[in-house]
Amino acid sequence: MPSIAVNGTDIYYDLRGTGPSVLFIAGAGGDAGTFERVADLLADEFTVLSYDRRGNSRSPRPAGWQTTSVAEQADDAAALLTALRLAPAAVYGNSYGAIVALDLLVRHPAVVRSAVLHEPPLQSVVKNAGEAQAAVRAVVEAGMAAGGPESAVEHFMRFASGDENWEQLEPRLRQRMLANGETLFGVEMGTFEPYCPDDAALAGITAPTRALISQDSPDFFHEVATWLAARLGTELLRTPGTHLPQFDHPEELVRTVKPFLAT
């Protein structure tokens, strides 16, 4: 399995295809395999890089690692692109991964050629953030009560993407994601959501950037995406599917984002 030491940790990565480089950053679950179908569709035109975020799946949890930050996650992504000589790359981030991609745009602009930000859960910019937080908390607590972190991952992923998407996951990917519960709930959740660059930082982004929403996602994500598109001065893109369109509508997702990945 390809792995590389960057930013003080070992990162597992998948690399396929030829052409301009594209980096995919996963959200909750942190696994490169969530983008496998999309990567296969793009590999004839792009060099596609995806990776297991630190402490998830095949990227081992660093010794003594108990907390993380958006900056640490973005530093990992920037170091990975630099070490593999793939910068500057187009970057696609989903959910937590979109927050990491946004910080890349702000703090590591030299490694980003263009970006698509799909439904970053920026809770500080929505009017009823407490309602969204309460809904997620109830799902996670029910999962924990039913069977601990693994059960909570399943409850959360069914909530985020639907029962059908979860049940159709490739079994090895599903097992890896289940095993990431301690990282998701013990380290990551609650750390990413408060992140929000100020207006000056957003105005300073120069790489072509688009906010993307899925048609079937909750209103919370539509509110965030609309806010972000307005601050970036760009159009708001839409794609079919759930919060994880790479699972249920990969072909449509590729058609939507490909023009911006080639920018």
Side-chain angles (χ1 to χ4, degrees), residues 232-249:
L232 294 172
T234 66
E235 65 179 307
L236 180 59
L237 299 180
R238 301 176 186 272
T239 195
T242 66
H243 185 54
L244 296 170
Q246 61 267 31
F247 289 167
D248 47 59
H249 287 82

Side-chain angles (χ1 to χ4, degrees), residues 221-238:
F221 289 114
H222 290 248
E223 189 175 352
V224 173
T226 300
W227 178 91
L228 186 57
R231 296 305 185 282
L232 294 172
T234 66
E235 65 179 307
L236 180 59
L237 299 180
R238 301 176 186 272

Side-chain angles (χ1 to χ4, degrees), residues 53-68:
R53 290 191 292 98
R54 69 163 59 209
N56 286 286
S57 297
R58 297 153 294 190
S59 292
R61 188 165 178 158
W65 185 68
Q66 299 295 326
T67 62
T68 191

Side-chain angles (χ1 to χ4, degrees), residues 5-254:
V6 294
N7 196 32
T9 193
D10 291 329
I11 296 292
Y12 169 90
Y13 65 93
D14 284 333
L15 189 63
R16 70 193 76 189
T18 58
S21 54
V22 177
L23 172 67
F24 283 91
I25 307 178
D31 195 292
T34 60
F35 291 112
E36 186 166 351
R37 292 167 65 190
V38 169
D40 285 342
L41 291 169
L42 289 168
D44 60 337
E45 296 183 42
F46 298 91
T47 299
V48 183
L49 171 67
S50 54
Y51 68 104
D52 295 349
R53 290 191 292 98
R54 69 163 59 209
N56 286 286
S57 297
R58 297 153 294 190
S59 292
R61 188 165 178 158
W65 185 68
Q66 299 295 326
T67 62
T68 191
S69 65
V70 174
E72 179 179 67
Q73 298 280 327
D75 290 349
D76 286 351
L80 181 63
L81 284 170
T82 301
L84 296 177
R85 299 182 180 180
L86 294 174
V91 178
Y92 177 99
N94 167 243
S95 194
Y96 283 170
I99 293 178
V100 176
L102 181 56
D103 198 55
L104 273 180
L105 286 161
V106 172
R107 297 178 50 251
H108 295 282
V111 305
V112 185
R113 187 177 72 251
S114 62
V116 177
L117 309 176
H118 180 249
E119 299 187 353
L122 303 173
Q123 292 183 352
S124 63
V125 309
V126 298
K127 295 178 181 178
N128 296 314
E131 293 181 9
Q133 291 169 340
V136 172
R137 184 165 56 249
V139 169
V140 173
E141 288 176 353
M144 288 289 188
E150 286 197 4
S151 177
V153 169
E154 180 172 348
H155 277 65
F156 178 75
M157 294 305 298
R158 287 180 182 273
F159 170 77
S161 65
D163 293 336
E164 184 176 354
N165 277 334
W166 175 255
E167 291 163 4
Q168 291 182 354
L169 281 185
E170 194 274 326
R172 288 173 298 180
L173 170 59
R174 186 167 55 237
Q175 285 304 123
R176 291 197 304 268
M177 293 180 72
L178 286 170
N180 292 337
E182 292 187 4
T183 292
L184 174 58
F185 303 119
V187 177
E188 295 180 349
M189 188 166 284
T191 297
F192 292 89
E193 292 87 346
Y195 175 81
C196 187
D198 60 28
D199 287 349
L202 292 172
I205 293 173
T206 57
T209 303
R210 297 291 186 272
L212 174 67
I213 55 174
S214 294
Q215 292 175 354
D216 299 333
S217 289
D219 291 342
F220 165 85
F221 289 114
H222 290 248
E223 189 175 352
V224 173
T226 300
W227 178 91
L228 186 57
R231 296 305 185 282
L232 294 172
T234 66
E235 65 179 307
L236 180 59
L237 299 180
R238 301 176 186 272
T239 195
T242 66
H243 185 54
L244 296 170
Q246 61 267 31
F247 289 167
D248 47 59
H249 287 82
E251 293 84 3
E252 291 90 339
L253 177 61
V254 166

